[in-house]
Amino acid sequence: MHDPAQDGDQPYAPTGKRPTVRTASVEAPEATWDSQASQVFRSLQLINSAVDARTNPIYKRHGIHRADYPILDALTRHHPTHVLAPTQLAQQLAITTGALTSRLDRLEASGLIQRLSVPRDRRRLRIQLTPAGQRCAGAVRLDLSSHLQGAVLSMGNTQLHELTTLLRALEKCLQA
């Protein structure tokens, strides 16, 4: 016998139950909210994929992984020393120190950062951007800026300001 779920005509939810279909012309406020929230996250996923497609070649050209650049950028912005503790870096990047370790290993092997021991406490480390790391971060930032600027040029200043404001608000909500 033909199962319509196999064709995608009537998909089943993971629980095996059919999803509820709303047929009313006016949705409940919760349904509208769910729909809008889903659209926001869908848009963010599509934007993330499009940005990755545009930026990954830039990272590759500079010999770094896309996950490494935020570390270089954070260290660059920490003037004048370009030195941070791993826990500070992890907090700024909203990642775990465990996730940070492999990235630091990669950057250290490339000569872009160095791990410094703390003189009176050998258990503690500091991460310092090397001169090569500063040059790499600057070059990547310049390439990213010029490349991504083209993507938003068609937006007017007002739209770009509104978008920036809304994205910062969403970022704060997600970090809470």
Side-chain angles (χ1 to χ4, degrees), residues 84-126:
L84 286 170
T87 53
Q88 292 172 302
L89 268 173
Q91 288 171 347
Q92 285 185 18
L93 303 175
I95 61 173
T96 65
T97 53
L100 182 64
T101 301
S102 62
R103 297 172 192 184
L104 294 177
D105 290 344
R106 222 177 10 241
L107 289 167
E108 187 174 37
S110 298
L112 301 176
I113 61 128
Q114 60 184 4
R115 289 177 166 110
L116 306 172
S117 58
V118 175
R120 293 190 197 129
D121 188 350
R122 291 181 24 199
R123 295 170 297 169
R124 294 174 51 208
L125 290 174
R126 296 283 185 248

Side-chain angles (χ1 to χ4, degrees), residues 21-35:
V21 178
R22 298 181 196 261
T23 56
S25 60
V26 178
E27 293 185 44
E30 297 83 22
T32 302
W33 175 252
D34 287 347
S35 175

Side-chain angles (χ1 to χ4, degrees), residues 29-70:
E30 297 83 22
T32 302
W33 175 252
D34 287 347
S35 175
Q36 289 174 342
S38 293
Q39 182 58 47
V40 165
F41 285 103
R42 182 176 177 277
S43 292
L44 288 173
Q45 288 173 328
L46 292 172
I47 291 166
N48 188 47
S49 294
V51 168
D52 279 351
R54 289 175 178 249
T55 58
N56 282 339
I58 293 171
Y59 298 131
K60 189 174 184 175
R61 185 168 56 248
H62 290 282
I64 64 171
H65 187 274
R66 69 181 176 95
D68 299 341
Y69 176 70

